[in-house]
Amino acid sequence: MTSREKFTYFIFHHRAGLTVWGLAPALLFFPFYYDNPYILGITNLVAINVIIVLGLNLFVGYAGQISLGHAAFFGLGAYGSALLTVDYGLRAWPAMGLAALLVALVALLLGGPVLRLSGHYLAMATLGFNIVIFTIMVQWDEVTGGPSGFAGIPPLTVGPWIIDDEFRFHFLVWAITLIIITLCLNLVRSGVGRGLAALAVDERAAAGLGIDVKKEKVKIFVLSAILASLAGSLYAHCFLFVNPDTFGIFASVDFVIMVVVGGMGSVWGSLLGAGLLTILPEFLDIFETYKDIIHGLILVLILLFLPQGFVTGILDIIRTRLALKRRQNA
Amino acid sequence: MLELIRVNKNFGGLPALNEVSFSLNSGEITALIGPNGAGKSTLINCVSGIIPCDSGKIIFKDQDISRLPAHKITRLGMTRTFQNFRLVPRLSVLDNVLCGLTVQAGRSFIKAMLRLPATRHQERRLRLMAQEALDLFGIIAKADWPLAALPYGDKKRVEMARAFVAGPDIVLLDEPVAGLNPEETAEIAALIKQMRRNGYTILLVEHDMELVMKVSDQVVVLDSGRLIAGGTPEEIRRNPLVLEAYLGKIGAAA
């Protein structure tokens, strides 16, 4: 191979990773143009939501399951970090890891029985789980602080830096988000990802491909719970305060809407879905008041016209058109 | 290679399979025929582990697989196709065939997420295997098409490529030419023969008599869950029991 061919070959084989890291400079310079803490606060929240939606998209979009309980994992991560740092005096990073580990365990115990269900039943079971966790957060005041929330969570530190403002948090949270996007892209392009896609179509056929359907569903459920937990920990250390309202069932529904708007089974769509639905309410006052109605309306419209979700739906249409055109020409 | 010994399966008291015993010879094509409702689909589902059989033994590679779940049977080296294909419309043709290599691709989430050089190399190797299979089945030119854009006949080929790509010891083909025109059927017949020459052992479940008579070495006939005949295509063609099962008593008399 000539060096030029080597170069294009390298670009082609690393295209997914390169696209992700192509975003990095843009994100690096963004806070220098917009150093408004309010704006950065929103974009930081976008990053946190992207992490949850990525995990949820693997479970919903790729593996074809449904969860209306991911806000519970998000909340468990946030409260886990809060309790472990404040009450048990752990440092922020180990607390985050330990919280994720505990959430993984919860997801494993929950996933075993619950993932035998599918469709509406699975949706109801995960919804029930979310309500249980939410009720515990509200009712168990002596531990969680009850409805008024849990304050005094310490910020994260990286080496000598204390990540205590939006500007610093921006770099940390987006770096983590980019890493997770890369990991998710890798996962869906692997045998594991193809197995999940086959599982979504037909579980019996997937078993016929050698996929241990039960185990694989639990594994992807646990992974998506871990991502939600990490996002929760980041949320706690970003706002230094957590409140049960953030982790209610409507938050869970919003995450599913983000998945659907972005696109089922599209890693890039997750970025768009989380971005759009996090940013819009902040800029449109009308959105704030009628948030739930508008979210519902968006969901219905997308499911009616692009049931695969926005990005995936449009990409599918383009790809199919192109292929049909070639078929006619051939 | 594969041996069924007195396999039984009841659905709510109704026998779907009744003491079915036969065996597949290595490197040969065995066709399973029978009128509608004879239990052909039940049999292929029992053998591939998708539904458990009630009693009897299914011996594959010196091991009773009648109690194993489907994914373990696949990992032992048996693959199958489905009557109404179960391909993934969202993935490309190539990725659909790669689904047939899920076992070879490994199950570790962590390895997949890190995509270290070893995983990359393995992915490239699997991709070559899939491309080879697509070439063999004559659809390599459409490798990067989304599956949804393929015509029906090509989807059948993709599903066969997916079943053969991993180089299994036994392939179960469930009605590979259902819904195809005579021309396409002849092409699939040629492909099946080609796979036999490549040394595969195949169980073919099929309605199309012409195809069965043309490609198979051995034919077994099911009727109402019972095995009523077995032998070479010539023998089966002349067997009065088979004629009766297909045409009814009057037909056999006439």
Side-chain angles (χ1 to χ4, degrees), chain A residues 57 60-62 64-66 256-266 298-317, chain B residues 89-90:
Chain A
N57 205 342
V60 175
Y62 260 88
Q65 309 298 307
I66 179 71
V256 173
I257 296 179
M258 288 176 192
V259 168
V260 174
V261 168
M264 304 283 244
S266 162
I298 292 178
L299 185 65
V300 169
L301 283 176
I302 289 201
L303 287 179
L304 268 180
F305 296 107
L306 293 165
Q308 286 297 307
F310 200 67
V311 173
T312 323
I314 289 183
L315 278 181
D316 270 2
I317 291 175
Chain B
R90 199 172 66 218

Side-chain angles (χ1 to χ4, degrees), chain A residues 205-218:
Chain A
L209 294 170
I211 297 159
D212 190 343
V213 172
K214 266 185 221 154
K215 211 164 155 190
E216 218 63 1
K217 282 202 287 190
V218 172

Side-chain angles (χ1 to χ4, degrees), chain A residues 245-258:
Chain A
D245 285 342
T246 323
F247 313 115
I249 53 170
F250 285 105
S252 280
V253 174
D254 278 351
F255 293 141
V256 173
I257 296 179
M258 288 176 192

